[in-house]
Amino acid sequence: MEFRLLGPIDVHEQGRDITPTAPKQRQVLALLLARANRRVSVPTLLNEVWGCEPPRTATTALQTYIGSIRKILAAATATTARDIAEERLVTDGNGYVLKLADTEWDRPHFERLVLEARGLMEAREAQRATGVLGSALAMWRGTPFCNVQLGSQLASQTRVLQEAHLAAREVRVDALLLSGRFQEAVGEAVGLVEEHPYHENVHTQLMRALYASGRRAAALDVYHSLRLRMSNDLGITPSPTTKSLHHVMLQDRPDQRYLSAAGVMR
């Protein structure tokens, strides 16, 4: 059985999509999947589905949803709902645990690949890191839980996953820069800047990529756009690190040691 949450949640068994179609069942399954192998309490599930004031019938309704999910999983695997209750979707005190092996869902695989890539970057094997990160990012199919109504818990889980996705994309840009693949780094950094207009690191990555490509004026323009946006919209200025990179890039004979340490190879 395969469970996926790096995009719309879905469950497959031997190529068949068995994802619950009822919205609240899918919402319950999504939270159990987001916290797989950990106990999710009944109050947490009630809050996710109904908010701070669940109806009196909410606990009974939740038990019905859990029973329906167990039946779906049982029918797909030619077992019984009791088997699923004992081995897969287990009652644990006043809560439930969805038990998954690492090979049965996408999140652990993604996290292992990113960890491997970070190790390769530390070993200065940027070219290999680029490939590993490409494989990790290819696992994403869109916004996590985009086919689920989000309560407070799932909204928080979505932000956690999106931050992990962004961090992996940033590491890939660094890997491309260290590999000397400057034009590819420009392309990926442009996309990040458009999606995150106040994120300084992705702006400095684009500056570095443009500068390394011989496009100093364009790199400086990225800084000026960021500075104006931050000043006009937020009332703040870029950090000292970003200002230092800008200052070095202004020089006709910049400090090559600084640029090398910043990941800019010319």
Side-chain angles (χ1 to χ4, degrees):
M1 195 172 294
E2 180 184 12
F3 296 76
R4 301 192 298 178
L5 54 67
L6 302 181
I9 73 155
D10 60 36
V11 186
H12 283 78
E13 171 63 17
Q14 297 184 349
R16 292 182 295 120
D17 186 351
I18 60 168
T19 311
T21 56
K24 284 186 169 58
Q25 287 180 25
R26 194 161 61 237
Q27 190 176 8
V28 168
L29 178 60
L31 185 53
L32 292 168
L33 178 55
R35 299 177 63 178
N37 299 313
R38 291 178 290 169
R39 178 178 172 273
V40 184
S41 71
V42 167
T44 297
L45 288 162
L46 296 179
N47 179 265
E48 171 62 30
V49 177
W50 287 282
C52 297
E53 297 183 0
R56 288 180 297 175
T57 58
T59 300
T60 300
L62 176 61
Q63 293 171 345
T64 300
Y65 300 152
I66 293 291
S68 296
I69 294 168
R70 284 170 170 163
K71 289 177 182 178
I72 290 170
L73 300 180
T77 54
T79 57
T80 67
R82 182 174 180 177
D83 292 331
I84 297 297
E86 292 176 349
E87 300 175 6
R88 175 71 74 183
L89 180 46
V90 179
T91 301
D92 183 358
N94 189 34
Y96 301 95
V97 179
L98 179 64
K99 294 188 175 183
L100 301 179
D102 284 354
T103 55
E104 292 181 310
W105 59 314
D106 51 2
R107 184 175 184 175
H109 188 199
F110 168 76
E111 291 173 343
R112 282 197 305 273
L113 289 174
V114 173
L115 184 62
E116 178 185 348
R118 290 185 182 278
L120 290 170
M121 288 289 286
E122 291 178 3
R124 310 296 289 183
E125 296 186 49
Q127 190 68 35
R128 287 181 59 196
T130 299
V132 172
L133 286 164
S135 297
L137 292 168
M139 298 175 63
W140 285 72
R141 299 166 293 110
T143 303
F145 311 117
C146 60
N147 60 339
V148 178
Q149 178 68 39
L150 301 184
S152 60
Q153 296 292 323
L154 282 176
S156 176
Q157 290 292 329
T158 299
R159 290 192 294 271
V160 169
L161 290 167
Q162 288 176 322
E163 285 296 323
H165 185 239
L166 172 59
R169 293 174 69 188
E170 290 180 77
V171 176
R172 179 169 163 81
V173 174
D174 282 337
L176 288 169
L177 283 167
L178 290 175
S179 299
R181 295 162 62 178
F182 304 131
Q183 292 299 331
E184 292 177 69
V186 168
E188 298 209 13
V190 164
L192 286 171
V193 164
E194 290 177 350
E195 295 171 28
H196 305 278
Y198 302 102
H199 194 308
E200 282 195 54
N201 187 56
V202 300
H203 282 78
T204 61
Q205 286 185 315
L206 180 55
M207 290 170 64
R208 289 156 51 202
L210 288 166
Y211 189 90
S213 302
R215 299 168 62 187
R216 182 169 70 153
L220 295 172
D221 186 59
V222 171
Y223 175 82
H224 289 303
S225 296
L226 173 65
R227 180 178 59 80
L228 285 174
R229 188 180 305 114
M230 293 179 70
S231 176
N232 293 339
D233 297 352
L234 306 176
I236 60 176
T237 61
S239 68
T241 299
T242 304
K243 290 178 180 177
S244 295
L245 180 61
H246 171 248
H247 177 74
V248 171
M249 289 182 175
L250 282 171
Q251 310 307 309
D252 290 332
R253 292 185 177 181
D255 185 338
Q256 294 299 322
R257 290 175 301 175
Y258 177 92
L259 292 176
S260 178
V264 178
M265 302 167 59
R266 298 190 67 186

